Amino acid sequence: MLDAIARLPGYSGQNADAQKAYTQAILADFEGDSETWLEIPRDQWPKDWFAADGTPLYKRPVVRLLRNLYGHPLAGLWWEKHFHKHLLSLGFQLMQGWECLYVLPKYKAFVSVYVEDVKWASPKQHAAKIWSLIQSVIKLAPPEALHNSTYLGCQQVEYAPTAEDLDFQNDLYLQLFSDPSQQFKRAG
């Protein structure tokens, strides 16, 4: 949907990756009563966990996980809640029926969030403002124009159809929709 909006006259679209996405979320905001504690491998212990002679001061120390971590069973959910909370704080509204699509009516801007991939479409004069707003609460890589980047494995390219292409599309359309078995029918 955002690809189509970005192609409207006067609009543009960009996308960016959230940098170290999951680790931007602080767990205390989401984990409730169940804290996550980790055992640290000995080769990762800080120096102050050892005596002056190199003897460990602890047997199997654990530390509380303070930031979201890739691999945690709830990491995706916590990241989603984190991003959702911040977009709402900026005035974005969740679009009904779309779990990852937001609209900012003030700027006629739309934002899609899928894991760490963020895409937005807005009037050209607001593109920098939308970037600045989102960047104020979520760390993002520099944005790229939709037609110069890959998003979820798909890349947009500029395409100017030839007269032959248009004839083929027209013939295909006539073939599909002149055949009654291919047409939409009313229920009932």
Side-chain angles (χ1 to χ4, degrees):
M1 183 162 118
L2 295 185
D3 297 318
I5 293 170
R7 296 290 184 167
L8 291 172
Y11 274 71
S12 68
Q14 296 177 307
N15 65 275
D17 287 339
Q19 296 178 325
K20 300 179 182 175
Y22 286 9
T23 59
Q24 291 187 42
I26 296 173
L27 292 188
D29 294 343
F30 306 104
E31 65 185 350
D33 294 335
S34 56
E35 299 173 350
T36 302
W37 290 79
L38 301 171
E39 184 176 340
I40 304 295
R42 187 172 173 166
D43 66 331
Q44 299 296 311
W45 291 8
K47 290 180 181 173
D48 61 350
W49 286 9
F50 296 92
D53 65 358
T55 308
L57 299 176
Y58 309 100
K59 289 187 180 197
R60 292 181 63 195
V62 293
V63 294
R64 182 161 180 220
L65 184 63
L66 300 178
R67 294 201 169 262
N68 199 3
L69 184 66
Y70 287 90
H72 190 289
L74 296 173
L77 175 65
W78 288 335
W79 164 247
E80 181 183 328
K81 285 183 174 187
H82 175 76
F83 208 125
H84 176 81
K85 175 180 81 170
H86 285 295
L87 283 180
L88 294 182
S89 77
L90 297 173
F92 282 90
Q93 301 167 2
L94 186 61
M95 290 190 62
Q96 187 174 3
W98 298 76
E99 63 186 51
C100 62
L101 191 59
Y102 298 82
V103 62
L104 185 59
K106 178 179 179 180
Y107 295 108
K108 299 179 183 165
F110 299 86
V111 172
S112 171
V113 180
Y114 185 80
V115 190
E116 77 277 359
D117 296 312
V118 184
K119 179 188 281 194
W120 60 94
S122 68
K124 288 178 183 175
Q125 72 267 24
H126 300 311
K129 178 67 174 174
I130 300 306
W131 158 253
S132 177
L133 277 172
I134 298 170
Q135 180 71 10
S136 73
V137 294
I138 300 290
K139 293 175 190 139
L140 297 173
E144 298 181 49
L146 294 182
H147 65 276
N148 289 334
S149 62
T150 301
Y151 181 81
L152 301 178
C154 299
Q155 186 173 22
Q156 288 191 24
V157 294
E158 294 294 330
Y159 174 72
T162 64
E164 185 178 291
D165 293 333
L166 295 174
D167 286 342
F168 173 78
Q169 290 176 348
N170 187 44
D171 291 344
L172 180 62
Y173 177 83
L174 290 173
Q175 182 183 9
L176 286 174
F177 293 103
S178 65
D179 180 353
S181 67
Q182 300 293 324
Q183 295 179 7
F184 296 103
K185 295 182 181 178
R186 269 189 226 208

